[in-house]
Amino acid sequence: MPMVILPVAAAAALVMGGCSTDAESTGAASATAAESTTAASVASPTAPASPSSSTSGVTAPATSPTAGTATCDPGATLVETTEGPYYTDGAPSRDTLSDADTVGTPLILTGTVFDAACQPVPGATIDVWQADGAGEYDNSGYNLRGVLTTDAQGRYTLTTVIPGIYPSRTEHIHIKINAPGGPVYTTQLFFPGSTANEDDRIYDEAMLITVDEDSPEQMRATFNFVLP
């Protein structure tokens, strides 16, 4: 099936709080309406993808003293956000979403999924979808879409690219996450220092990833989810 590429605007249901940040609520209903309007106005199936060498406006330290540390704050449950218009069910089970032809700077994101008591959650599923480095989604296939499963220690590793900015949205990665047999929480991850964060109506600092290493060739970052 041919790939249809659309610029994106995204988000929808529930979110998860970062382990070391305080969660706060976001207006899902108004965000969904705003995002849907944007999607209709900026859609351009024939828009050519242009390479993106790094996250627009993102500033981050070269190293972080807590890089890779699986810390958990039992009060910092994930934050709910809107799903947005571009979710596709049935994504393949995989933790590598990008390849050599994917537009965007490579990103390796790692972390741990905890329950409300800060116990690691093995077998949790993390459904991921996002735009490429040019801010465009694949809405006919599963490029940059996949479902990860945490290991016996509740850990995950996601290999992808830094998503691009498009009208009304900052860089973000969509997430649906749940423990085995538990409810599904919907959220988005954001990038610290992005110049577009302050103007994004869905942005929530509680869902900022921690950048451990940033260069034109690759970004490494962490985010630990705490389920309600």
Side-chain angles (χ1 to χ4, degrees):
M1 176 180 291
M3 176 183 295
V4 177
I5 294 179
L6 297 171
V8 181
L14 242 121
V15 272
M16 314 161 268
C19 292
S20 57
T21 55
D22 294 326
E24 52 181 315
S25 303
T26 307
S30 61
T32 301
E35 191 160 10
S36 298
T37 300
T38 301
S41 63
V42 301
S44 176
T46 58
S50 57
S52 172
S53 60
S54 64
T55 304
S56 175
V58 169
T59 56
T63 60
S64 168
T66 58
T69 303
T71 58
C72 177
D73 176 359
T77 54
L78 62 220
V79 180
E80 305 176 44
T81 61
T82 175
E83 178 183 277
Y86 298 121
Y87 175 68
T88 300
D89 195 14
S93 177
R94 59 183 178 181
D95 54 20
T96 297
L97 309 187
S98 58
D99 58 31
D101 297 324
T102 304
V103 176
T105 301
L107 166 66
I108 299 176
L109 179 68
T110 59
T112 300
V113 176
F114 296 98
D115 63 19
C118 280
Q119 296 301 306
V121 181
T125 57
I126 307 173
D127 193 346
V128 182
W129 71 103
Q130 65 168 91
D132 64 13
E136 299 176 340
Y137 286 76
D138 172 13
N139 291 301
S140 61
Y142 292 102
N143 185 39
L144 293 177
R145 300 172 185 269
V147 179
L148 295 67
T149 302
T150 59
D151 66 14
Q153 286 74 47
R155 300 172 302 191
Y156 72 90
T157 298
L158 171 65
T159 301
T160 183
V161 296
I162 299 172
I165 290 175
Y166 54 87
S168 84
R169 292 309 317 274
T170 189
E171 296 98 328
H172 62 283
I173 296 175
H174 292 274
I175 301 286
K176 285 181 180 287
I177 184 170
N178 68 300
V184 176
Y185 299 98
T186 303
T187 188
Q188 298 178 33
L189 298 180
F190 301 100
F191 292 74
S194 173
T195 55
N197 285 344
E198 61 184 33
D199 296 322
D200 189 301
R201 297 176 61 183
I202 301 171
Y203 167 76
D204 193 311
E205 66 177 359
M207 302 308 293
L208 284 170
I209 64 173
T210 297
V211 177
D212 304 318
E213 176 187 334
D214 191 15
S215 73
E217 290 74 35
Q218 177 179 266
M219 176 184 285
R220 287 182 177 271
T222 55
F223 190 87
N224 297 319
F225 295 94
V226 183
L227 304 181

